[in-house]
Each structure stands twice: as structure tokens, then as C-alpha cells.
Amino acid sequence: MKISLEEMAQKISVANSFIITVHVNPDGDALGSALGLKFILEGMGKEAKVVIDDKWDKNFSILSGIESVINLQENPEEKFKADYVILLDASIDRCGKVIENCPDMKVLNIDHHVSNDDKADFLYLDADAPATAEIIYRLAKVLKVEFNTEIAVNLYTGMATDTGFFRYSNTKPYTMIAAAEMMEAGAKPNKISEALEVKSYETIKGLAAAMQTIEISENGKVAGVYLPYEIVKDLDTTEGFIDQVRIIEGVDVAVLMKEKEPNLCRVSMRSKETNVSAIAQSLGGGGHIRAAGATIELPLDEAKKKLLEVINEALV
Ligand SMILES: [Mn+2]
């Protein structure tokens, strides 16, 4: 059921303990929103634990409080008890088994994905917000919480990563005002971007191998890297690979396809014009108009053929 941000703040302010969770394969916005909210709640004298059903990239060690995050996969039977589960940056179907392991708890959901399925008990959705972290910033204002360095580092990171460091079309004047306020509260943009961008030598070698598979199609409007399992199994990350593809002149839709297991391909898309959220949804996935993803249960060649057919139909 959809509620307003003020109603969400009201529910939070009268409760005492929370489990905070996010989507699997957590990105900077998911982790930054979760940890930012944890420090906001703790500052109000409440208890909050972040539990995620996945591991996270070591680049996120810059985030305050990251060492306190519980990876459910390390103890999958662990059960949690609190007044509410707060699910951020995703719908219920994308957070693995965390909600199952929080028996009899109501779910408060805060999200900016237009594809949110509205299955949580209470949902505040703002599909125009560039990042969930910007919504958490607004929530903190409603709750009249003062920002400290811990909150600032996390919320800044969330806003920065989902806006491509304030370059994507989702960036609004308000986003930069919020980010400026996070800087005043102690976030250091240079330190945060250095920590997030650093890559190992092996990763750059992996990027070089991945770029060998680059292909242009649909009259130059689509460019993709299509990585077979033999390449994927040796990669420690593909973070940032799609950015190398989306900058090619004339390209509208950029694609990163990974054969995660034989016969199972994970696809990410970025676009300048075409609605890739609709493409992802027609493949059983979701996301935003300019950034979306899906999983296709087919071998790489067939998954690629199917994806390009759907993209071709959707190109503007
Ligand atoms: Mn997000």
C-alpha cells in the first residue's frame, strides 16, 4: 500500500527497532541508503541492523558502518526480530531471503524504481528521485535529524553512484543541494570517488578481455559486450564495463551481457533515448527508464538474439 513520506516518517518515529535490507548485488545507492538510514535511526535512539542476502564489493569499504552489515549467506538460517523491516531501493522480490528470515514483521519499503511491485505492507515510491539516498535525505529532514559524517558519507555515496557522479539526466538541482549539504556535514567527494573507482590490475586485464567481445548492431544504435562463461568465470567484477560501451558515438542502448552460468545470462542496459525499463520488464526484469536489467535463461548466443529482437522493437 502506497503512503506518503510523512506517513512513513510517522511509522518510523513511533517504532524502536528495525532490520534494514536492500536488493541482492547491492550497489552504492543500496548500501549508502541502508547505512545512512541506520545512523539516522541510531541518532534517534533506535536500534537498527543492516542485513543483506549477498556479499558486496570491497570498494565500498569507504562507507561508514560497512563492517557492521550482516551477510545472510554466511548464516542463512539466522532469524531476526524487530518492530519493522525497512526495505530500500528494491521491491520484496529482489532482496533474497531476508524478509523470510524476519517472521511476522511488517515491511516498510522506500524506493525509486518505477518497476516496484507495491507488494510491501507500506510503500513510499518516488520514481522521479535519482537515488533512494536522496529520499532518505528528505526523510531525515522530516524526522528533524541533524546530519553527521557517518550519515553524510553514506547518503553522498548513494546519490553520487546512482547519478554517475551527478552527470546523468536524473540529476536535479535539488540533488546537488542535498549533496552539498552532505559535504558540509563531512562527506569528502574526492576520497569517495577514489575509493569507488580503484580497480585491481586483474580487473583492468578482465576489462581488456571483455572489450574484445564488443559488437555494434541495429545501425549503430546498440553496442554491447557479450561475455561467455569462459570469460565471466575469471572476472572479479564487471563494475564500470558498461560505461565504456555507452560512450560510443551514436549509441542509444548499451548492453552488458554475462553468461553467469551455462544457460543463464544476466543483462544490464543503459540508454540515452529508449525506455530500457520496459525492455527489461518484458524479459522479466526491471529498473529505471535509463538503466535496467534482467536475467535470461538461455545460452549466450540465444539470449543475445532474443535481447536484440526486443531492443529492436523498442528503439525510438
Ligand atoms: Mn538506487
Side-chain angles (χ1 to χ4, degrees):
M1 180 179 111
K2 286 204 175 110
I3 60 173
S4 70
L5 191 61
E6 287 69 26
E7 289 167 320
M8 185 64 76
Q10 178 59 26
K11 290 191 184 299
I12 289 171
S13 60
V14 298
N16 290 310
S17 59
F18 304 87
I19 298 298
I20 302 169
T21 194
V22 299
H23 54 79
V24 296
N25 195 15
D27 56 14
D29 186 31
L31 290 165
S33 297
L35 287 165
L37 180 59
K38 171 189 155 74
F39 286 110
I40 289 166
L41 295 172
E42 287 178 351
M44 298 169 73
K46 301 177 187 299
E47 279 175 41
K49 253 186 217 159
V50 180
V51 182
I52 302 177
D53 192 3
D54 209 345
K55 54 184 170 13
W56 46 91
D57 203 283
K58 67 177 188 311
N59 289 58
F60 293 119
S61 342
I62 184 91
L63 297 180
S64 301
I66 189 84
E67 69 292 337
S68 70
V69 179
I70 297 167
N71 176 356
L72 187 63
Q73 292 183 346
E74 286 170 5
N75 190 1
E77 301 308 318
E78 187 172 1
K79 299 279 187 282
F80 301 91
K81 188 80 204 105
D83 296 336
Y84 283 112
V85 186
I86 306 183
L87 167 62
L88 301 176
D89 202 38
S91 325
I92 285 185
D93 58 335
R94 288 199 59 221
C95 69
K97 297 216 178 325
V98 175
I99 287 170
E100 259 177 70
N101 289 28
C102 294
D104 307 320
M105 287 166 63
K106 291 245 189 285
V107 181
L108 305 178
N109 189 188
I110 300 173
D111 193 13
H112 70 132
H113 290 85
V114 66
S115 55
N116 189 298
D117 62 9
D118 196 6
K119 297 250 170 76
D121 296 293
F122 300 100
L123 167 67
Y124 175 71
L125 176 70
D126 180 359
D128 290 325
T132 298
E134 192 196 275
I135 304 177
I136 301 299
Y137 162 88
R138 277 159 41 205
L139 177 69
K141 296 258 176 190
V142 177
L143 291 168
K144 301 196 168 29
V145 169
E146 243 179 77
F147 296 111
N148 57 28
T149 307
E150 284 76 24
I151 298 170
V153 168
N154 282 299
L155 296 188
Y156 179 91
T157 299
M159 291 187 261
T161 49
D162 264 22
T163 58
F165 288 83
F166 310 100
R167 290 171 303 160
Y168 300 158
S169 62
N170 60 2
T171 310
K172 297 180 179 67
Y174 183 77
T175 321
M176 300 189 106
I177 290 167
E181 204 174 329
M182 295 304 99
M183 260 184 96
E184 283 172 344
K188 302 235 176 326
N190 61 321
K191 295 288 176 211
I192 292 169
S193 64
E194 275 167 33
L196 297 181
E197 282 166 3
V198 72
K199 287 185 163 60
S200 68
Y201 175 64
E202 287 69 33
T203 299
I204 297 299
K205 297 280 275 185
L207 174 65
M211 286 303 137
Q212 299 301 311
T213 73
I214 198 161
E215 276 178 50
I216 297 273
S217 48
E218 321 308 316
N219 293 321
K221 287 192 160 186
V222 180
V225 284
Y226 303 91
L227 308 179
Y229 180 67
E230 298 78 70
I231 291 184
V232 173
K233 71 177 174 25
D234 295 328
L235 291 175
D236 53 357
T237 179
T238 53
E239 188 66 39
F241 286 17
I242 200 164
D243 296 312
Q244 302 301 318
V245 179
R246 61 184 279 278
I247 56 176
I248 297 170
E249 190 174 18
V251 166
D252 174 8
V253 179
V255 173
L256 168 69
M257 184 177 276
K258 294 188 280 187
E259 195 174 32
K260 298 271 281 185
E261 298 162 25
N263 302 326
L264 192 146
C265 294
R266 171 82 202 154
V267 57
S268 307
M269 290 172 281
R270 300 284 183 276
S271 80
K272 297 204 177 77
E273 307 288 338
T274 298
N275 178 351
V276 288
S277 176
I279 296 172
Q281 283 184 56
S282 76
L283 295 164
H288 309 286
I289 292 169
R290 302 267 165 264
T295 300
I296 307 176
E297 290 186 38
L298 286 172
L300 184 70
D301 282 347
E302 290 170 47
K304 179 174 143 192
K305 187 161 170 276
K306 181 168 180 179
L307 175 71
L308 289 175
E309 278 169 16
V310 182
I311 293 177
N312 188 275
E313 294 272 303
L315 278 175
V316 291

